[in-house]
Amino acid sequence: MKLVILVAVFGLSLAQHNPHFKYGRTSIVHLFEWRWADIAAECERFLGPKGFGGVQISPPNEHIVLNDPWRPWWQRYQPISYKLCSRSGSENELRDMISRCNKVGVNIYVDVVINHMCGAGGGEGTHSSCGSWFNASKKDFPSVPYSHLDFNNYKCRTASGNIENYGDKYQVRDCRLVSLLDLALEKDYVRSKVADYMNSLIDMGVAGFRVDATKHMWPGDLEAVYSRLHNLNTSWFPGDSRSFIFQEVIDLGGEAISSSEYFHLGRVTEFKYGAKLGTVFRKWDNEKLCYTNNWGEGWGFMPNGNALVFVDNHDNQRGHGAGGASILTFWDSRLHKMAVGYMLAHPYGVTRVMSSYRWNRNIVNGKDQNDWMGPPSHGNGSTKPVPINPDQTCGDGWVCEHRWRQIKNMVIFRNVVNGQPQSNWWDNQSNQVAFGRGNRGFIIFNNDDWDLDVTLSTGMPGGTYCDIISGQKEGNRCTGKQIQVGGDGRAHFRISNRDEDPFVAIHAESKL
Ligand code: QV4
Ligand code: CA
C-alpha cells in the first residue's frame, strides 16, 4: 500500500517536470507581450519550421488597465477576472493560436497569475481589459466572483499589510507582494476558481504553465490546485499526460524560502543561472569562462531535472525581480548571443529564450526610469502587430532575439545534440573554452582579448562542416566559416577576439 502511494505521488510529480516537446524539440521562447494573432502566425511561419518546442505567452486573463503610467507592461500582472480577454487579444484569438501552434508542433505554456488580484490602490470601475467592474478597496471582483472573504486579510501580521521582510516566510506567503491583493489559496473555493481557470486552458490545448510569484504561495496550497488539473487534451498529447509546470521562485540564497520546497510540484526557474553566466561573460568578480567546466549543479544550481534556465527574463532585463546588473540582455547583444549560445549548447536544464521589445531605456543612478513601458503600441494603447522585414528580422520595435541567426541556429543545435553527454572539454585556463556533445555537435568560444588559434578533438566524424554562428548551411552551400574535421576527429579553429561573434558551432546537420 505504502509503495503504491509512493509510486502514485512520484509519478504525478515527475510528470509535471516534462515539457511534452514534440519531435525532439528542446526550447521554449517567451514571446513577451505578443498578440495572439502574431504568435499563431509566428508558430506557422517560423517556430514550427525552425524546431522551437514551445512558447511562453503573457497572462491571457482579464487584467487592470492603467493610465498612470500609461499602459505599463506590468498591468497584466494585476488580474481582474479569469475571463480570457487581454491586451494580447480575445478568447477566440487565444483559442485559434493554441490550435494553430499545436498543429505545427509548437506547445503553448501560459503565464498564470494566481497569487493575487490587482493592487490595493487599483480603484473602482471598469478599467479592465474585458470591461468587468471591480472595486479594489472592497476586494470585490464579481466577474470571478471573489469577495473580501477570499483574500488573506488578518492572516498577514505586518503593519502595512505588505511583505516587509523576505526573511519571514509567513509574510512572504500571507502578505501582499507590492500591495497586490493576496488570495487565500487555503480556501477550497479559491482553489477551485484557480483550477477552473487553468483547466479551461488545458482543455483548449495548452501544454503547461509558468506559475507567477510561486514563492508567495504555500507548496501545500499549490499541490491542492495542481492535483485538480485535468490531463492534457488528447487531441494533441498522449493520454494521461500531466501539464508541464515551471514555477517562478527567485532564490539567489539568503532568504527564508528556497526553491527546493517546490521541486516535487514541477520545475523551478533557476535565477542563479543567468546572474552567474552574465558575471562570467562580463568577466566581473574575477570570473573566467574556463571556470564553467563544471557548469550546472557544480556551481550550486538546483538538480538538472528541476531546472528551467534562461539568460534574462522580462523582469530582470529591465531591473525588476532579481539578478542584478550582470544580466545580459539584447542591449548587450554581442555578449548576449554568446551567453545564449552557451546555454543552448550546454546539457543543463530546460532552456527558455527571451524575445523582447525595445523601449526608451533611461538609466538614472542605476535605475531605468522607463522600466514600466509597455509593448510597441498605437495611440489608443492597443499593441502593434509584429511585422517581418525582408531579411527575416522584426520591425516596429520588436527585437525578436529568437530570430537572430546565431540564436535560431543554436536552438536547432540543441535539438540535434539532444540526449548526448557533454564531451571533449578544452580551455586555455582563461576565457577560451570548447566542448562537444558526443559525436553530434561542438562549440568553441573566445571571450579573451586576444586571438584563439588551436587544434582540438571534436568527437565529430570527419568532413567539412558549416559554422552556424557566422552563417549557416543553405542547400549544399555554407554562408559562413567552414571547419574541416579530420578522420581522427581533430579540427583547427581560429577565432579573432574582434570577430563579430567570437564563437563557432558545428553539428551533425551542418555537415556539407
Ligand atoms: C507600489 C509600491 C508598493 C506600494 C504600492 C501602493 O511599490 O510598495 O505598496 O505601490 O499601491 C506594480 C508597480 C509597483 C506597485 C504595484 C501595485 O511596479 O510599484 O506597488 O504595481 O500597484 C510585475 C512588476 C511589478 C508590478 C507588478 C504588478 O514587476 O513592478 O508592480 O507586476 O503590476 C519578487 C517576487 C517575484 C516577482 C518579482 C518582480 O518574488 O514573484 O518580485 N516576479 C513576478 C513577475 C513580475 C510581476 C509579479 C511577479 C507580480 O515576473 O513581472 O511583477 O505578479 O521578486
Ligand atoms: Ca500569497
Side-chain angles (χ1 to χ4, degrees), residues 444-472:
I444 174 162
F445 296 85
N446 178 11
N447 198 33
D448 272 325
D449 301 325
W450 59 86
D451 291 352
L452 171 154
D453 193 334
V454 69
T455 298
L456 298 174
S457 287
T458 64
M460 306 280 289
T464 304
Y465 291 83
C466 184
D467 167 32
I468 59 164
I469 304 303
S470 55
Q472 59 199 7

Side-chain angles (χ1 to χ4, degrees), residues 14 152 212 235 256-257 284 288 291 293 303 334 421 461 475 485 499 512:
L14 251 191
N152 284 328
D212 181 70
S235 310
I257 292 158
W284 288 356
K288 292 190 171 109
Y291 300 153
N293 63 357
R334 192 166 183 262
V485 176
D499 280 357
L512 295 170

Side-chain angles (χ1 to χ4, degrees), residues 424 438-443 455-467 482-493 504-508 510-512:
N424 291 296
N439 59 4
R440 299 284 291 168
F442 193 78
I443 191 163
T455 298
L456 298 174
S457 287
T458 64
M460 306 280 289
T464 304
Y465 291 83
C466 184
D467 167 32
Q482 296 191 16
I483 304 294
Q484 309 293 336
V485 176
D488 58 358
R490 288 167 68 79
H492 179 236
F493 296 94
V504 165
I506 57 175
H507 60 66
S510 80
K511 195 171 177 194
L512 295 170

Side-chain angles (χ1 to χ4, degrees), residues 371-409:
D371 65 343
W372 57 270
M373 282 189 169
S377 298
H378 298 291
N380 66 1
S382 65
T383 303
K384 285 187 179 171
V386 180
I388 307 300
N389 299 322
D391 68 356
Q392 299 304 307
T393 59
C394 300
D396 262 354
W398 299 95
V399 182
C400 289
E401 296 93 311
H402 69 287
R403 279 179 168 258
W404 295 0
R405 183 189 64 242
Q406 302 84 343
I407 293 178
K408 164 197 78 168
N409 285 343

Side-chain angles (χ1 to χ4, degrees), residues 115 152 172-175 182-183 216-217:
N115 171 65
N152 284 328
V172 175
R173 266 87 176 241
D174 298 336
C175 296
D182 205 54
L183 285 166
H216 306 280
M217 296 179 279

Side-chain angles (χ1 to χ4, degrees), residues 251-255 272:
D251 176 6
L252 298 171
E255 283 183 24
K272 291 176 185 160

Side-chain angles (χ1 to χ4, degrees), residues 16-17 244-247 266-269 304-308 349-350:
Q16 292 178 171
H17 297 77
F244 178 51
I245 290 184
F246 58 106
Q247 307 168 101
R267 286 195 182 244
V268 181
T269 50
N304 180 25
N306 292 110
L308 186 291
V350 168

Side-chain angles (χ1 to χ4, degrees), residues 36 57-63 76 79 81-86 94 110-117 144 146 183 189-204 206 209-210 225 228-230:
W36 309 148
I57 63 168
S58 286
N61 61 297
E62 182 171 29
H63 53 83
R76 296 183 73 169
S81 80
Y82 301 126
K83 290 185 181 172
L84 296 170
C85 37
S86 65
L94 177 72
V110 179
D111 192 349
V112 286
V113 185
I114 57 177
N115 171 65
H116 51 261
M117 300 298 278
V144 179
Y146 285 140
L183 285 166
Y189 175 75
V190 175
R191 291 172 178 180
S192 73
K193 285 295 164 188
V194 168
D196 287 352
Y197 166 50
M198 293 171 76
N199 279 330
S200 68
L201 294 160
I202 289 175
D203 296 348
M204 287 165 79
V206 309
F209 303 96
R210 176 232 185 223
V225 169
R228 295 182 190 203
L229 297 183
H230 300 166

